[in-house]
């Protein structure tokens, strides 16, 4: 459990007492931008706001919870409703926008409730050495933008329908997540302007309980935002929502499949069966898709190993 703030942390509360803050953004704005290591603790409640973080130095934000090990006991939610169309860009629509290196988020639900009709991000992550632990991310299209740098997602819940894990310059490793589709579409949309990797490891792919139709066979592991997309699912349990082709083209007029790496290794579940798309790869080894291979040899120095070794 994590019921009290660690020493020295700024505290956000729905009923703030002296020295506390009523919004997450107010606490972020109160931090010194001097490169020092800082912590924010958020008490139980729903905080309706958009949060932007740019300060230098390590920042950890923790949500109160009865169980730190995963997202299932989260009682802190940051929620906002904004489309990319209205905001002017994907990034600007994000409920949580992190434009900095050295960041960790624990046991908080992050939601963009805009719904269908436009991209609408829960998380816009621009930075390296980001760790997200026991976090719930909710939207419909473009839920999580892992845009640049090395990023680790451990024991998280990610919900969406269309391209809801995506990015162009990042190296993102998703470990023991639950990835839940709320509608038909592709889970990932990788589009590297430079070499990039999205690896989903030991995770469960399933239909969200909030889906309003049976999604059997209507969901794809990914589609290529650009022709050099690199995505791998390793040792995952794939539910029946996954189409037997596994992967799909970007569009009929712009397939983007000539140079993709869409790979699978040691997956199980009903969705792992079937004849995969001609541009997909079945791996005989995951050596190129481990956390160290994706995030760098120093990954153990910044990833919370408690979420690796559970």
């Amino acid at each position: 459990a994590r019921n009290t703030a660690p020493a020295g942390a700024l505290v956000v509360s729905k009923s703030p007492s002296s020295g506390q803050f009523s919004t997450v953004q107010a606490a972020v704005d109160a931090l010194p931008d001097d490169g020092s290591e800082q912590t924010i603790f958020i008490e139980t409640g729903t905080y309706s706001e958009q949060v932007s973080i740019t300060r230098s130095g390590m920042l950890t934000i923790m949500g109160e919870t009865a169980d730190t090990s995963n997202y299932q006991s989260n009682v802190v939610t940051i929620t906002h409703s904004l489309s990319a169309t209205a905001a002017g860009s994907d990034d600007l629509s994000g409920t949580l926008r992190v434009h900095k290196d050295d960041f960790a988020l624990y046991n908080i639900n992050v939601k963009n409730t805009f719904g269908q009709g436009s991209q609408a991000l829960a998380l816009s992550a621009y930075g390296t050495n980001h760790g997200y632990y026991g976090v719930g991310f909710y939207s419909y299209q473009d839920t999580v933008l892992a845009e640049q740098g090395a990023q680790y997602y451990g024991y998280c819940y990610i919900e969406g329908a269309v391209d809801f894990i995506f990015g162009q310059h990042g190296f993102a490793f998703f470990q023991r997540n639950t990835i839940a589709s709320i509608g038909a579409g592709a889970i990932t949309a990788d589009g590297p302007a430079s070499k990039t990797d999205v690896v989903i490891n030991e995770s469960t792919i399933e239909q969200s309980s909030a889906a309003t139709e049976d999604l059997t066979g209507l969901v794809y592991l990914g589609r290529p935002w650009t022709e050099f997309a690199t995505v791998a699912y390793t040792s995952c349990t794939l539910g029946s929502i996954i189409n037997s082709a596994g992967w799909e083209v970007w569009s009929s007029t712009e397939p983007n499949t000539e140079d993709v790496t869409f790979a699978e290794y040691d997956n199980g579940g009903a969705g792992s069966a079937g004849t995969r798309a001609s541009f997909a790869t079945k791996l005989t080894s995951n050596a190129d898709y481990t956390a160290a291979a994706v995030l760098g040899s120093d990954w153990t120095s910044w990833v919370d190993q408690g979420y690796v070794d559970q």
Side-chain angles (χ1 to χ4, degrees):
R2 186 191 301 113
N3 297 317
T4 58
L10 301 188
V11 177
V12 181
S13 174
K14 296 303 293 184
S15 302
S17 58
S18 178
Q20 296 181 338
F21 299 87
S22 61
T23 68
V24 181
Q25 189 65 59
V28 170
D29 292 344
L31 294 169
D33 191 11
D34 58 3
S36 60
E37 184 171 344
Q38 300 289 332
T39 302
I40 294 173
F41 177 81
I42 307 177
E43 294 182 352
T44 299
T46 298
Y47 299 82
S48 299
E49 57 178 305
Q50 189 176 29
V51 178
S52 178
I53 305 172
T54 59
R55 72 173 298 276
S56 59
M58 180 66 201
L59 175 61
T60 300
I61 301 181
M62 298 177 166
E64 182 177 355
T65 180
D67 183 358
T68 61
S69 66
N70 58 50
Y71 63 87
Q72 295 178 354
S73 297
N74 290 1
V75 291
V76 174
T77 298
I78 302 171
T79 184
H80 193 65
S81 177
L82 182 62
S83 71
T85 301
S89 72
D90 268 1
D91 169 51
L92 291 173
S93 75
T95 296
L96 176 61
R97 301 174 61 232
V98 186
H99 284 241
K100 67 181 300 315
D101 297 338
D102 305 314
F103 178 74
L105 186 71
Y106 290 83
N107 300 107
I108 293 171
N109 295 327
V110 182
K111 299 184 177 184
N112 190 323
T113 59
F114 177 80
Q116 300 184 45
S118 173
Q119 299 95 326
L121 277 60
L123 172 69
S124 179
Y126 283 68
T128 199
N129 296 7
H130 282 203
Y132 299 88
Y133 309 101
V135 178
F137 299 103
Y138 301 77
S139 186
Y140 190 88
Q141 183 172 352
D142 291 14
T143 305
V144 169
L145 172 57
E147 179 60 5
Q148 66 185 43
Q151 302 181 12
Y152 181 91
Y153 297 76
Y155 292 87
C156 294
Y157 177 86
I158 305 172
E159 181 178 282
V162 179
D163 304 340
F164 60 100
I165 297 173
F166 74 115
Q168 287 186 299
H169 306 275
F171 298 85
F173 195 82
F174 296 82
Q175 170 84 355
R176 297 176 186 167
N177 288 229
T178 297
I179 298 172
S181 288
I182 198 172
I187 295 170
T188 64
D190 191 41
S194 57
K195 188 182 185 313
T196 181
D197 288 302
V198 172
V199 174
I200 298 172
N201 181 57
E202 297 181 354
S203 295
T204 300
I205 317 302
E206 63 185 25
Q207 178 168 317
S208 166
S209 60
T212 58
E213 63 174 325
D214 181 5
L215 298 178
T216 299
L218 299 181
V219 175
Y220 294 84
L221 299 173
R223 61 178 184 151
W225 188 3
T226 70
E227 63 177 316
F228 294 101
T230 301
V231 179
Y233 287 74
T234 59
S235 303
C236 291
T237 300
L238 309 180
S240 61
I241 62 172
I242 300 301
N243 186 278
S244 60
W247 310 83
E248 65 175 342
V249 299
W250 180 253
S251 69
S252 58
T253 57
E254 192 178 3
N256 287 349
T257 57
E258 185 174 348
D259 297 297
V260 301
T261 301
F262 280 162
E264 294 179 70
Y265 171 78
D266 192 35
N267 293 328
S272 66
T275 301
R276 290 313 204 216
S278 61
F279 48 88
T281 302
K282 279 295 183 77
L283 301 171
T284 58
S285 168
N286 68 338
D288 291 333
Y289 300 97
T290 63
V294 175
L295 302 177
S297 59
D298 68 338
W299 74 283
T300 57
S301 68
W302 58 269
V303 172
D304 187 335
Q305 295 302 295
Y307 286 80
V308 176
D309 299 331
Q310 286 189 55

